[in-house]
Amino acid sequence: MTQQGVRWSVDQVLALAPDAASRKAGSRLGAAGPWSGAGSCEEGTVWGLCKGSGSKPYQTIVDVADPAGAAYKCSCPSRKFPCKHALGLLLLWAGGDDSVPAARQPPDWAEQWIAGRRSRAEGKRPTGAGSSPAAADPEAARRRAEQRAERVTAGATELEQRLSDLLRGGLAAAEQAGYGLWEETAARMVDAQAPGLAARVRELGAIPGSGPGWPVRLLEECALLHLLVQGWLRRDRLPADLAATVRSRIGLPAPADGTPVRDRWLVLAQYDTADAKLTTRRIWLHGADSGRTALLLSYGAAGRAPELALPVGLALDAELSAFPGAGQHRAALGERFAAPAPSSARPPGVPTAQAAARYGEALRDDPWLESVPVTLGRVVPVPDGDSWQLADAEGESALPLAAGTRSGPGLWRLVALSGGAPVTVFGECGHRGFTPLTAWPQETGEAVPLC
């Protein structure tokens, strides 16, 4: 079956947008009005001309053969990737009408781009295991690792002293000192090549004065940071898996060295978080045969969507290799044996009490864990005063929704999907509550992204 016949859904297209503004602008271009010369071919390419403000229309083309590695080209000057024209063209194509008809031959400008991609793909060759600098000079790599470890140790020792000074001076002093104190400390951790410590220090800086109970929250986070520092300083005494977790939390890179697991991986959720410099995409997968849940991370510079895109509802026949660390879900995507395809499968659900227990168990392996992935079965969203919770349809237990989800559109989409009836919900369960990411109607129906 050719990929041209497998059209994406609107949600799958919008999941590719680099930001909310691009999503909105692309939606306005998802109608036939501004488009001309649109078409698609069996190889999985869609093209079209979009009328803009200039005299010449923008030439837009997208390779849709593989949603996980979709490629885009547009003659517009936008620095966002994909641009609004590529999103609009994909939305037009996803509509399934005659606005983007099948064509035997693409126009010359599109054919040139297609031919270039084919040529580059044919020219790619696997890189030998011994071609990396580290493999070429393992002794130099060992020395670099030792030098970095020494810098991290110096930074961790300094941070431990600053935490001790904070507690001796009293937490009230943290509010008076302002954010500058924390930013300077975070910069010192960056100099020590410990980005994980730097990130946690910046989070500390946002707590003082953040609302009622902030001293308690600050003390809790300081305790976790102290535990991480002590874990690093005593890493030689820790079990191997826990030591790997500490190194990961500190921010030291490690290869995905787990045994590759081939499975048909169902895409459970995909969502982006962004700061001024980087967009991080999180993709949750569930193995149909292995029953494992895995997390893929992909990154993009500001203004560009991360390269990897696996919209919810697709299934991928591929190998995944786990990263080291106790209780870690993160994995690396290995060989793919087929392009992602729509799937009606869904993971099995558990009661809310079992979901909370899973988080508690996971904390034994990773005390710094914010949440764990969980699929809840037969739950109903119900109001709880000013907030909401997911209650078991049969039973008396419930999970509160995380504060950040209570006012977003995902909550109301979930409430509308349920209509008072039980639903299956996948999300992240942690100390801040449950964050719903995807839902399925109880009996039949496709996955509905909530983020």
Side-chain angles (χ1 to χ4, degrees):
M1 181 178 182
T2 62
Q3 292 301 312
Q4 189 270 339
V6 181
R7 293 182 184 266
W8 304 355
S9 70
V10 171
D11 284 333
Q12 289 171 352
V13 173
L14 294 179
L16 302 174
D19 51 40
S22 298
R23 193 176 297 116
K24 183 177 180 180
S27 298
R28 290 198 295 265
L29 295 175
W35 293 96
S36 62
S40 61
C41 64
E42 291 186 348
E43 285 76 11
T45 308
V46 181
W47 60 82
L49 301 173
C50 186
K51 181 177 176 56
S53 57
S55 58
K56 292 184 178 181
Y58 296 122
Q59 298 175 343
T60 307
I61 183 169
V62 184
D63 181 353
V64 296
D66 184 356
Y72 321 88
K73 175 68 175 179
C74 185
S75 60
C76 75
S78 174
R79 294 184 178 181
K80 294 185 178 181
F81 189 81
C83 67
K84 63 181 181 181
H85 305 103
L87 292 171
L89 177 61
L90 287 175
L91 289 172
L92 187 67
W93 171 70
D97 55 22
D98 296 331
S99 299
V100 186
R104 292 185 178 180
Q105 185 68 29
D108 291 342
W109 60 270
E111 179 60 37
Q112 292 176 3
W113 184 79
I114 295 172
R117 278 184 58 78
R118 290 172 182 163
S119 177
R120 289 190 295 273
E122 292 173 357
K124 289 182 178 180
R125 294 291 184 269
T127 302
S131 62
S132 68
D137 191 353
E139 180 61 24
R142 183 189 63 79
R143 288 196 300 269
R144 288 193 296 270
E146 289 180 350
Q147 291 170 358
R148 181 170 186 178
E150 291 174 359
R151 285 192 287 268
V152 172
T153 297
T157 303
E158 178 181 347
L159 178 58
E160 183 74 352
Q161 183 60 52
R162 295 196 178 199
L163 289 175
S164 298
D165 293 342
L166 171 65
L167 295 179
R168 278 197 298 268
L171 296 182
E175 187 176 24
Q176 299 171 358
Y179 190 76
L181 169 66
W182 305 101
E183 186 58 37
E184 190 269 338
T185 303
R188 295 285 294 169
M189 296 305 103
V190 171
D191 293 340
Q193 293 186 290
L197 293 180
R200 297 191 77 94
V201 168
R202 291 192 180 96
E203 292 175 1
L204 286 181
I207 296 177
S210 60
W214 71 261
V216 174
R217 295 193 297 274
L218 179 61
L219 185 59
E220 291 173 346
E221 293 302 319
C222 284
L224 286 172
L225 189 53
H226 165 74
L227 183 63
L228 181 56
V229 168
Q230 290 300 314
W232 171 260
L233 297 177
R234 293 169 169 78
R235 61 192 181 279
D236 294 338
R237 309 177 194 175
L238 300 178
D241 282 347
L242 183 56
T245 299
V246 169
R247 287 192 291 270
S248 174
R249 294 296 181 185
I250 289 287
L252 299 184
D257 57 2
T259 302
V261 177
R262 181 177 178 178
D263 207 333
R264 185 166 176 80
W265 298 95
L266 174 66
V267 183
L268 297 179
Q270 172 180 287
Y271 68 95
D272 296 348
T273 57
D275 56 29
K277 297 181 179 180
L278 190 69
T279 297
T280 301
R281 173 164 294 166
R282 290 171 170 81
I283 303 175
W284 284 108
L285 305 175
H286 174 78
D289 296 327
S290 64
R292 295 175 56 175
T293 302
L295 174 66
L296 301 181
L297 296 181
S298 183
Y299 303 95
R304 294 175 65 93
E307 181 178 352
L308 183 62
L310 289 171
V312 174
L314 299 184
L316 178 67
D317 183 5
E319 288 182 342
L320 297 185
S321 298
F323 282 84
Q328 299 295 298
H329 291 278
R330 188 186 173 193
L333 180 61
E335 183 177 357
R336 289 180 277 176
F337 302 96
S343 174
S344 59
R346 66 178 70 179
V350 300
T352 57
Q354 187 174 341
R358 283 188 181 180
Y359 178 57
E361 294 168 359
L363 287 175
R364 293 181 303 185
D365 295 326
D366 185 354
W368 308 276
L369 191 64
E370 292 287 331
S371 60
V372 293
V374 178
T375 301
L376 300 178
R378 294 187 58 77
V379 291
V380 181
V382 295
D384 179 27
D386 295 333
S387 59
W388 285 76
Q389 60 184 0
L390 292 175
D392 290 323
E394 296 91 10
E396 299 180 353
S397 62
L399 282 176
L401 292 186
T405 67
R406 296 170 188 166
S407 58
L411 170 61
W412 305 116
R413 188 181 297 186
L414 175 60
V415 172
L417 181 69
S418 167
V423 290
T424 299
V425 183
F426 170 78
E428 297 170 350
C429 180
H431 63 94
R432 293 186 177 90
F434 186 86
T435 301
L437 300 175
T438 305
W440 296 262
Q442 186 59 33
E443 300 300 331
T444 60
E446 297 180 351
V448 178
L450 304 175
C451 54

